[in-house]
Amino acid sequence: MSETYVGSIDQGTTGTRFMVFDHDGNVVSQAYEKHEQIYPEPGWVEHDPMEIWENTKLVINEALDKEGLDANQLESIGITNQRETTIIWDAETGKPVHNALVWQDRRTTDRVEEIQDESTDTLTVEEIREKTGLECDAYFSATKTEWILDNADPIKLQRSRPEDVRDRAEDGELMMGTPDTWVIYNLTGNHITDVSNASRTMLYDIEGLHWDDELLDEFNVPREILPEVRPSSDDETYGSTDADGFLGAEVPVAGALGDQQAALFGQTCFDAGDAKNTYGTGSFMLMNTGNEAVSSDHGLLTTI
């Protein structure tokens, strides 16, 4: 077992892929599994987080088995993910309180219009843009989180305690995250996101690099449910898989990056002015602006 590899989980909008790379960057093995797209009403899009996690385990094992690789040969695992999609789960049981609300989901459009119409005693769309670099829109995680806390059915929690979901969130009994956080949590037990994903929630100050109290108040999101924000990759890693878990090995989870930022990096756009366009479930153009946050006058987003 002298050969070692790096594993990459790509948790996307339509499915989950696991790829194994050698030290030269060649793909040694890969596996892919689609998950169900759930449309409860027109404009509403959901995923089952448990299905996503089961598929993640499935593709990891399948890719390793294909080439007869042992999980102990993985030096580390990295994650890239569909951004903005929002999951809230029970910290004790690890079970979601509701299906994930997907980035495409438009059910909170009325809430966004409410913010746009509100008087000056709350945050304006300009102040939100200044803090987050984002246009105030149902696309991002803030209003999705608020909706789940206000609308998740407590009966579905399968608990003996009937407390309201929002009360339980304020008591620190629930966890929120985008798909990177969900996968990191299930792999390591740790509640962590990276800056590239945090910057797409509309709850994160991209200049100060912290969850913003005014934004949390505006969107009624308790700080207690938010993950720790870490660099996209560093020596500390995000934790390791459990040797007694599904992999049967202790593998560090060493990096995470929102899918479009990952594509920018993968297309070697390392210099300011370099740009890429990705054609996937949507079409996404990103440009590297260097170390400066450049704000747009024409509705473009500024993101980490």
Side-chain angles (χ1 to χ4, degrees), residues 67-264:
E67 296 299 322
L69 304 175
D70 190 284
N72 286 300
Q73 291 175 268
L74 294 175
E75 293 275 9
S76 63
I77 293 172
I79 296 164
T80 182
N81 58 284
Q82 52 167 320
R83 306 173 303 173
E84 299 96 20
T85 294
T86 305
I87 306 165
I88 296 178
W89 64 94
D90 185 304
E92 187 184 319
T93 67
K95 297 286 187 284
V97 304
H98 193 276
N99 278 339
L101 301 198
V102 182
W103 56 272
Q104 301 152 297
D105 189 282
R106 302 304 298 171
R107 76 187 66 186
T108 59
T109 301
D110 288 351
R111 175 70 173 103
V112 169
E113 288 171 355
E114 202 179 282
I115 294 166
Q116 291 167 344
D117 294 342
E118 266 173 356
S119 58
T120 53
D121 59 346
T122 58
L123 284 177
T124 64
V125 289
E126 287 77 20
E127 288 168 327
I128 291 170
R129 187 189 300 117
E130 202 172 291
K131 287 172 179 284
T132 67
L134 307 174
E135 295 294 318
C136 186
D137 196 273
Y139 182 46
F140 306 107
S141 312
T143 58
K144 298 181 193 301
T145 304
E146 182 182 41
W147 190 94
I148 295 173
L149 291 176
D150 288 337
N151 293 281
D153 182 0
I155 294 167
K156 290 180 185 171
L157 293 179
Q158 299 176 326
R159 288 173 57 94
S160 55
R161 296 165 59 190
E163 282 97 331
D164 177 78
V165 170
R166 183 170 282 286
D167 291 342
R168 297 194 57 235
E170 287 165 3
D171 290 341
E173 295 179 16
L174 303 180
M175 293 177 168
M176 169 268 182
T178 41
D180 59 306
T181 309
W182 173 243
V183 173
I184 291 168
Y185 169 80
N186 280 289
L187 287 170
T188 70
N190 295 326
H191 190 209
I192 289 169
T193 191
D194 90 296
V195 285
S196 71
N197 280 292
S199 72
R200 305 290 294 193
T201 59
M202 209 160 69
L203 297 169
Y204 193 71
D205 183 324
I206 63 168
E207 294 287 356
L209 300 181
H210 56 76
W211 299 116
D212 184 88
D213 288 331
E214 287 185 310
L215 292 166
L216 298 183
D217 287 346
E218 176 64 57
F219 296 106
N220 302 304
V221 175
R223 179 177 283 276
E224 289 79 7
I225 70 171
L226 296 171
E228 177 190 354
V229 183
R230 296 274 301 279
S232 301
S233 183
D234 66 11
D235 290 339
E236 287 183 43
T237 78
Y238 303 143
S240 297
T241 60
D242 189 340
D244 297 325
F246 80 100
L247 263 184
E250 207 170 293
V251 183
V253 179
L257 203 55
D259 56 7
Q260 300 311 324
Q261 289 98 323
L264 187 75

